[in-house]
């Protein structure tokens, strides 16, 4: 976006964020095929207050100046210290020497640690207010969504929640900033992918945050990444509620790890079993653990009730891409899934046993049959894989918990 955008016309509320189309991996891990936006905001009243900064700088500072002209920036609210939002705090302090930084008790030591800043920092308590003349701001901590110091800022005057990473999504802006300027499918998938990769582990904290923020009369939700919500903020609150309760849809994801294709054939038989029979699943997604985009695999898993994992054995253990997927899922505290497992081997075995350990770790009971195949799957083995798919389909249709 080439200039600052007034996101609440006539109400002194500006978007001064930046698009990033160069970073190809967010956190060095997650693909950004459509880039990412760092949304930062500027409130102009009797005093001026910036909410969050960006990764990088340059263009951001030019946008601030474009709105502020010769006025000083009085406050910077630091909702979150991760460098994608607090990257230019030190530079901003140099540009506006009288700038007062606002954070909570957990922000203060991080400001010192990351930027060596101790002076001119005001520590706000949960719920505390700041009147900048024309905007009354209140600050609400949302611990572990997704860092300890994470906080949101609510503009009580305009009903705008500056929600930081909460409700954020991947994808740079392509002209439109708002939910009514882009089709839902353009932002929802990217928001789910952000949730599954960044926020999922902290779903319990998300539930606590939703309860806590439920008392505010929110008219707009302006997050620190992706689309801004002014048409239907309730929709994204309900999506976050569902994802954080792990209230998945009825689809199924099948992920396989295979070197020579035998385990892939087993996975295809599982998919066939899922797609046929009395409780057939219409939305089946098959992923190769080695090749499918990991963030998309996680997003699909987060949205689906059924999950079937199949792995060949590799040096007595799980095939490495499957091992890393299981590690991430366990770290994300996956639950409320209908799980199916299958392994292949030709000497000692080990993959199926390792998948069962994963199931134990996430406290899920795998449905019968668990399939273990020696060398190339026989026709009977493939039928058992199809039976596994049908059992998962049955489990999805009967799912209550
Ligand atoms: C590098 C390598 C390591 C393997 N390690 C084991 C092992 O430790 N135990 C075992 O039972 N099979 C092991 N296998 C055999 C495979 O698990 C078996 O061939 C399986 O059918 C491969 O499935 P795929 O065709 O889907 O790759 C190994 C195979 C390879 C190539
Ligand atoms: Fe973050
Ligand atoms: Fe972020």
């Amino acid at each position: 976006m080439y200039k600052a955008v007034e996101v609440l016309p006539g109400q002194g509320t500006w978007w001064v964020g930046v698009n990033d189309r160069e970073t190809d991996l967010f956190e060095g891990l997650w693909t950004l095929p459509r880039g990412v936006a760092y949304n930062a905001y500027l409130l102009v009243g009797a005093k001026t207050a910036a909410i969050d900064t960006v990764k990088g700088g340059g263009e951001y500072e030019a946008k601030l100046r474009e709105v502020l002209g010769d006025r000083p920036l009085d406050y910077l609210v630091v909702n979150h210290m991760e460098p994608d939002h607090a990257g230019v705090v030190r530079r901003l302090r140099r540009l506006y020497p009288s700038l007062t930084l606002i954070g909570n008790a957990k922000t203060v030591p991080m400001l010192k640690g990351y930027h060596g800043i101790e002076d001119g920092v005001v520590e706000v308590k949960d719920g505390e207010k700041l009147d900048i003349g024309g905007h009354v701001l209140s600050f609400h901590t949302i611990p572990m969504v997704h860092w300890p110091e994470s906080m949101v800022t609510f503009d009580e005057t305009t009903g705008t929640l500056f929600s930081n990473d909460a409700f954020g999504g991947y994808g740079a802006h392509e002209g439109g900033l708002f939910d009514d300027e882009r089709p839902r499918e353009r932002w929802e998938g990217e928001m789910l992918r952000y949730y599954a990769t960044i926020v999922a582990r902290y779903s319990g904290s998300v539930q606590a945050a939703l309860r806590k923020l439920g008392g505010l009369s929110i008219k707009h939700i302006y997050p620190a990444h992706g689309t801004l919500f002014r048409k239907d903020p309730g929709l994204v609150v309900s999506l976050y509620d569902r994802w954080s309760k792990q209230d998945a849809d009825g689809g199924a994801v099948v992920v396989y790890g295979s070197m020579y294709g035998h385990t892939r054939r087993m996975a295809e038989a599982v998919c066939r079993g899922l797609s046929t029979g009395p409780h057939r699943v219409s939305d089946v997604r098959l992923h190769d653990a080695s090749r499918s985009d990991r963030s998309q695999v996680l997003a699909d898993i987060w949205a689906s009730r059924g999950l079937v994992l199949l792995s060949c054995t590799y040096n007595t253990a799980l095939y490495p891409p499957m091992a890393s997927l299981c590690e991430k899922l366990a770290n994300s505290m996956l639950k409320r899934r209908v799980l199916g497992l299958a392994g292949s081997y030709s000497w000692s075995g080990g993959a199926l046993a390792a998948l069962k350990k994963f199931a134990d770790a996430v406290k899920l009971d795998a449905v019968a049959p668990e399939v273990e195949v020696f060398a190339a799957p026989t026709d009977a083995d493939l039928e058992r894989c199809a039976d596994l798919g049908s059992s998962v389909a049955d489990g999805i249709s009967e799912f209550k918990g």
Side-chain angles (χ1 to χ4, degrees):
M1 207 66 63
Y2 68 106
K3 61 178 186 179
V5 179
E6 197 172 11
V7 284
L8 288 173
Q11 296 179 77
T13 306
W14 296 79
W15 176 89
V16 288
V18 299
N19 281 326
D20 177 355
R21 300 183 194 281
E22 267 86 54
T23 301
D24 45 18
L25 291 176
F26 193 77
E27 296 185 346
L29 289 168
W30 317 113
T31 56
L32 294 172
R34 284 172 285 280
V36 64
Y38 313 112
N39 296 330
Y41 302 92
L42 176 62
L43 302 178
V44 179
K47 297 264 182 185
T48 59
I51 300 189
D52 297 319
T53 71
V54 301
K55 182 181 157 200
E59 223 187 290
Y60 164 72
E61 290 147 30
K63 282 178 186 144
L64 280 182
R65 268 196 302 271
E66 186 191 319
V67 180
L68 289 173
D70 293 333
R71 286 188 71 174
L73 180 62
D74 300 307
Y75 297 102
L76 169 63
V77 179
V78 183
N79 278 328
H80 179 27
M81 278 300 300
E82 196 170 0
D84 54 337
H85 309 293
V88 291
V89 167
R90 205 181 329 185
R91 271 173 47 183
L92 220 52
R93 180 41 96 52
R94 248 181 264 136
L95 216 60
Y96 299 104
S98 61
L99 181 68
T100 299
L101 304 187
I102 294 180
N104 57 64
K106 295 204 167 120
T107 324
V108 173
M110 290 194 189
L111 275 170
K112 184 174 177 216
Y114 279 104
H115 298 292
I117 295 178
E118 290 179 90
D119 297 336
V121 178
V122 169
E123 182 187 315
V124 287
K125 301 219 163 26
D126 200 13
E128 199 170 321
K129 293 186 189 188
L130 173 73
D131 188 343
I132 64 162
H135 299 270
V136 176
L137 306 180
S138 59
F139 308 103
H140 308 267
T141 59
I142 50 165
M144 295 322 301
V145 182
H146 63 127
W147 274 29
E149 85 303 353
S150 292
M151 180 170 94
V152 297
T153 299
F154 185 57
D155 184 344
E156 305 199 340
T157 314
T158 61
T160 308
L161 184 72
F162 298 98
S163 62
N164 196 264
D165 281 336
F167 310 110
Y170 295 124
H173 299 293
E174 296 162 295
L177 287 177
F178 292 100
D179 51 349
D180 52 294
E181 295 176 334
R182 332 184 54 202
R184 176 172 169 176
E185 56 277 14
R186 295 284 286 163
W187 57 260
E188 187 178 345
E190 286 294 79
M191 190 173 155
L192 172 62
R193 206 163 65 84
Y194 185 88
Y195 191 92
T197 50
I198 307 294
V199 186
R201 174 180 169 79
Y202 305 106
S203 289
S205 307
V206 170
Q207 278 293 311
L210 291 178
R211 280 193 296 274
K212 181 171 180 178
L213 302 177
L216 304 175
S217 348
I218 297 168
K219 289 198 209 134
H220 317 95
I221 295 180
Y222 291 177
H225 298 287
T227 299
L228 280 59
F229 301 98
R230 66 179 176 192
K231 183 180 92 183
D232 194 0
L235 172 62
V236 289
V237 171
S238 72
L239 288 174
Y240 251 54
D241 188 40
R242 291 199 53 184
W243 296 338
S244 56
K245 284 181 184 150
Q246 303 209 28
D247 234 348
D249 294 328
V253 177
V254 178
V255 192
Y256 65 88
S258 175
M259 293 174 280
Y260 293 104
H262 300 101
T263 318
R264 174 179 46 71
R265 287 184 68 210
M266 292 162 61
E268 283 173 356
V270 168
C271 288
R272 186 67 192 149
L274 275 160
S275 309
T276 49
H279 300 124
R280 67 176 173 272
V281 174
S282 56
D283 189 355
V284 175
R285 297 171 193 214
L286 178 62
H287 285 294
D288 176 343
S290 301
R291 292 180 183 79
S292 283
D293 179 79
R294 176 56 55 88
S295 63
Q296 194 55 56
V297 174
L298 293 167
D300 286 350
I301 290 174
W302 213 260
S304 307
R305 181 67 68 209
L307 174 63
V308 184
L309 300 175
L310 306 98
S311 178
C312 64
T313 307
Y314 189 88
N315 297 343
T316 74
L318 275 180
Y319 188 51
M322 184 59 74
S324 83
L325 175 66
C326 288
E327 193 186 340
K328 172 69 176 167
L329 292 174
N331 185 269
S332 298
M333 301 185 202
L334 184 81
K335 47 182 169 248
R336 307 190 63 212
R337 293 299 186 285
V338 179
L339 182 67
L341 303 176
S344 66
Y345 72 105
S346 58
W347 340 324
S348 53
L352 182 61
L355 287 174
K356 286 187 191 178
K357 270 200 190 151
F358 160 74
D360 289 344
V362 292
K363 300 190 180 71
L364 288 172
D365 293 322
V367 302
E370 281 165 358
V371 183
E372 188 159 41
V373 170
F374 171 71
T378 62
D379 288 348
D381 289 330
L382 292 173
E383 284 315 314
R384 275 171 54 77
C385 289
D387 290 346
L388 170 58
S390 303
S391 299
V392 171
D394 295 346
I396 293 169
S397 86
E398 289 154 13
F399 187 82
K400 293 203 181 67

